[in-house]
Amino acid sequence: MTLGKGIGGGVPLAALLATQKAACFEHGDQGGTFNGNPLMCAAGLAVLGEVGKPEFLKSALEAGIFLESELQKLSARHGLGEVRGRGLLLALDLKLPIGCRDRGTGIESGLLLNSHAGRCAALHAGAPMSRARRFPK
């Protein structure tokens, strides 16, 4: 299993996990941008320390429930499609062929919009996002 992105909390860090039987790499065999160095590993340990706290999981679960609820309301209000996904990895079917044309639209509001599929927009909320910034009515 590979782990990346969130494990470093924004710094380049990744991990490869395998059982002894499935492991095909020796320590140091794998090279690349996301290799651990002392600074990145310290950041990763700090992230793991925070993620392991019960209040972190509770907050993440609440945020996922809140986001899904708001997307459901937005969909109902504007006649959009279904909300798909789980937790904080959600997509809203816009029922419109938007492609990538609206990619930078939300930057002013602290959102990065991206369209991986023709009719869905992926919302990536950065650190400045909070519940205070709600979807437009």
Side-chain angles (χ1 to χ4, degrees), residues 44-121:
L45 286 172
V47 168
L48 290 175
E50 289 301 309
V51 170
K53 294 179 179 175
E55 59 270 18
F56 179 88
L57 180 56
K58 181 177 185 277
S59 175
L61 289 170
E62 289 171 355
I65 291 166
F66 172 79
L67 178 59
E68 184 173 6
S69 170
E70 293 298 306
L71 288 174
Q72 295 285 3
K73 291 177 197 173
L74 186 69
S75 180
R77 185 169 43 245
H78 296 287
L80 302 173
E82 68 177 335
V83 175
R84 296 192 304 261
R86 187 171 159 194
L88 289 167
L89 294 173
L90 298 171
L92 173 60
D93 185 346
L94 301 176
K95 296 169 79 174
L96 299 167
I98 63 164
C100 290
R101 75 165 195 239
D102 293 327
R103 184 171 273 193
T105 302
I107 290 176
E108 304 83 30
S109 301
L111 286 175
L112 173 62
L113 299 176
N114 196 0
S115 177
H116 301 287
R119 301 180 340 178
C120 291

Side-chain angles (χ1 to χ4, degrees), residues 5-62:
K5 301 241 184 201
I7 195 172
V11 300
L13 183 65
L16 173 65
L17 306 176
T19 63
Q20 184 67 36
K21 186 176 179 180
C24 61
F25 292 112
E26 296 291 327
H27 178 74
D29 281 354
Q30 187 69 8
T33 305
F34 290 91
N35 281 359
N37 63 52
L39 179 59
M40 299 308 119
C41 288
L45 286 172
V47 168
L48 290 175
E50 289 301 309
V51 170
K53 294 179 179 175
E55 59 270 18
F56 179 88
L57 180 56
K58 181 177 185 277
S59 175
L61 289 170
E62 289 171 355

